[in-house]
Amino acid sequence: MPIPPVRTLRSGAPATNGDPARPGMDRPHMVSVVVPVYRGEETIAGLVAELHGLTRPTETPGGITFTVTEIILVHDHGPDRSDVVLQELHQTYAEVRTVWLSRNFGQDAATIAGMSAAGGDWIVTMDEDGQHDPHFIADFLDTALTQRADLVYSKPTNTRPHGFLRNLTSRGAKVVLATLFAFPDSTRFESYRLIRGDIGRQLAEVASNGVYLDVALTWVVGAVAQAPVVLRSEGREESGYNYRRLFSLFWKMVLCSGTRGLRLVSLLGVTLALAGGVMAAVVVCEAMTTDGWAPEGWASTIVVLLLCSGAVLFSLGLIAEYLGVALHILVGKPLYLTVETPTPRPADTRELTATTASKGTDRVEH
């Protein structure tokens, strides 16, 4: 089936006004793949070769036709010769587009830069190291259409190909965010994801310095789903992330998730203030009924410390609420976000659901 030409805006987004072509009905769903590249000299060529196989119209297990129309490689100024490899890939594959960042900005910034340049109906983000199997893009699309989700995260069914300590700390960080900071969405954050194209492009336009991409997605996406995947081993010996960078990402997520941390400080302040009041009552009672109960001045000093520290911490909590509003503005949280069409539906949802359920298990096992 030939793919009709799609008019694009200057931002790279497809111009749908006046265009009768509908994804999944008049033409295949167009998928843009965004790959931030930091240390991809040894791995990115193999990944692009796999993605190249999906540039022809491909049918998902649920019967949906899609095609990878562009592969956007974002150079994030790593320490290796990734730039040379990216230039060669751009000359070899017509679908490869390169985005050159002026310096190293980090994975989130590089991913957002690629999303802003993407023009597909859907945007897939994936790592450069070969862990993510491109063939699961089909399952992502089936899941999105079956569950009417605008965002689909991968859900690894096997142990991650990292050391035990790194896997433990990564999982522990997400649990801390989900429980202590009341941010349950963090448990499903993955860098291998499918995002509706018009949402991803608009979010990339408003996101500011310091934003954590997955946190930003929670601002504008209502329906989120997960699709099971099998992670492969990395195509290089050394991971691009050390523990310092991983902690930096964790702390960035904490700061962007809201003012929950400072609310805990406010709660601690209230607790200390109440404890100070109870302690003051006990001190007064004991001082009036017991001679020589405590050294002179000790009880009053303790009560003052408790009450004052409680008042200070509670005041910080109140200030944090105001700072939270400013934080969301600074990192680009939008007041609203529009989409070009309603969330796409498959031709027959019930049939697609049944087909996906019967085939999805076999795909994961393979």
Side-chain angles (χ1 to χ4, degrees):
M1 174 181 178
I3 303 174
V6 178
R7 295 180 296 109
T8 58
L9 303 174
R10 292 183 64 182
S11 62
T16 57
N17 293 335
D19 188 351
R22 293 165 295 177
M25 301 183 69
D26 303 314
R27 59 171 174 79
H29 289 266
M30 298 190 302
V31 177
S32 300
V33 179
V34 174
V35 186
V37 181
Y38 177 69
R39 294 180 63 251
E41 179 183 357
E42 301 175 359
T43 58
I44 191 61
L47 177 61
V48 169
E50 288 184 284
L51 289 169
H52 177 70
L54 300 176
T55 56
R56 297 181 295 273
T58 305
E59 188 172 294
T60 70
I64 301 298
T65 304
F66 76 96
T67 180
V68 172
T69 55
E70 57 184 356
I71 305 170
I72 302 176
L73 307 178
V74 185
H75 182 246
D76 197 25
H77 278 256
D80 60 3
R81 299 174 69 255
S82 294
D83 55 331
V84 177
V85 178
L86 264 56
Q87 289 175 321
E88 294 174 351
L89 292 173
H90 179 71
Q91 296 174 356
T92 304
Y93 298 98
E95 66 275 11
V96 169
R97 297 173 55 194
T98 52
V99 176
W100 305 98
L101 300 184
S102 62
R103 64 170 178 82
N104 175 247
F105 287 93
Q107 183 176 13
D108 265 12
T111 303
I112 293 172
M115 288 168 52
S116 68
D121 303 310
W122 302 90
I123 299 174
V124 170
T125 67
M126 57 196 311
D127 291 347
E128 63 185 15
D129 54 18
Q131 286 187 79
H132 300 153
D133 189 341
H135 292 91
F136 285 109
I137 294 176
D139 297 311
F140 282 5
L141 195 55
D142 277 344
T143 301
L145 295 176
T146 301
Q147 302 186 30
R148 299 200 69 201
D150 295 322
L151 172 62
V152 179
Y153 281 110
S154 60
K155 185 177 183 180
T157 59
N158 59 328
T159 303
R160 298 176 184 277
H162 302 300
F164 171 77
L165 182 58
R166 176 174 168 180
N167 287 338
L168 181 63
T169 52
S170 177
R171 179 61 183 173
K174 292 181 179 180
V175 170
V176 168
L177 280 169
T179 55
L180 185 61
F181 293 95
F183 199 64
D185 292 334
S186 63
T187 57
R188 59 188 176 192
F189 288 170
E190 296 288 341
S191 57
Y192 195 12
R193 50 175 100 79
L194 173 79
I195 310 166
R196 182 169 168 172
D198 49 0
I199 291 179
R201 283 185 290 272
Q202 290 186 74
L203 183 62
E205 290 178 0
V206 300
S208 300
N209 185 31
V211 69
Y212 191 92
L213 176 57
D214 291 304
V215 174
L217 286 169
T218 64
W219 299 340
V220 296
V221 173
V224 182
Q226 290 180 292
V229 302
V230 177
L231 294 179
R232 305 182 296 192
S233 60
E234 293 188 13
R236 58 194 181 203
E237 297 182 358
E238 183 181 355
S239 173
Y241 281 93
N242 53 35
Y243 287 102
R244 182 184 63 81
R245 294 188 67 190
L246 289 173
F247 177 78
S248 176
L249 286 176
F250 166 73
W251 193 243
K252 183 178 180 181
M253 194 188 308
V254 169
L255 295 179
C256 289
S257 62
T259 57
R260 175 70 177 180
L262 287 176
R263 285 182 180 177
L264 293 177
V265 174
S266 177
L267 180 61
L268 176 62
V270 173
T271 303
L272 289 176
L274 292 175
V278 173
M279 184 65 177
V282 171
V283 169
V284 171
C285 181
E286 291 294 338
M288 294 178 61
T289 58
T290 305
D291 294 332
W293 175 71
E296 183 177 356
W298 177 85
S300 59
T301 301
I302 292 299
V303 171
V304 169
L305 286 175
L306 287 172
L307 291 175
C308 290
S309 60
V312 170
L313 292 175
F314 180 68
S315 299
L316 287 176
L318 293 178
I319 295 173
E321 297 300 319
Y322 294 101
L323 290 177
V325 176
L327 170 67
H328 289 154
I329 296 174
L330 289 173
V331 297
K333 183 176 182 179
L335 177 61
Y336 65 89
L337 189 146
T338 62
V339 293
E340 297 171 351
T341 62
T343 301
R345 293 178 181 271
D348 188 337
T349 302
R350 290 173 297 177
E351 180 181 351
L352 176 60
T353 303
T355 306
T356 304
S358 62
K359 295 183 178 182
T361 305
D362 296 337
R363 176 177 285 270
V364 171
E365 290 177 352
H366 287 81

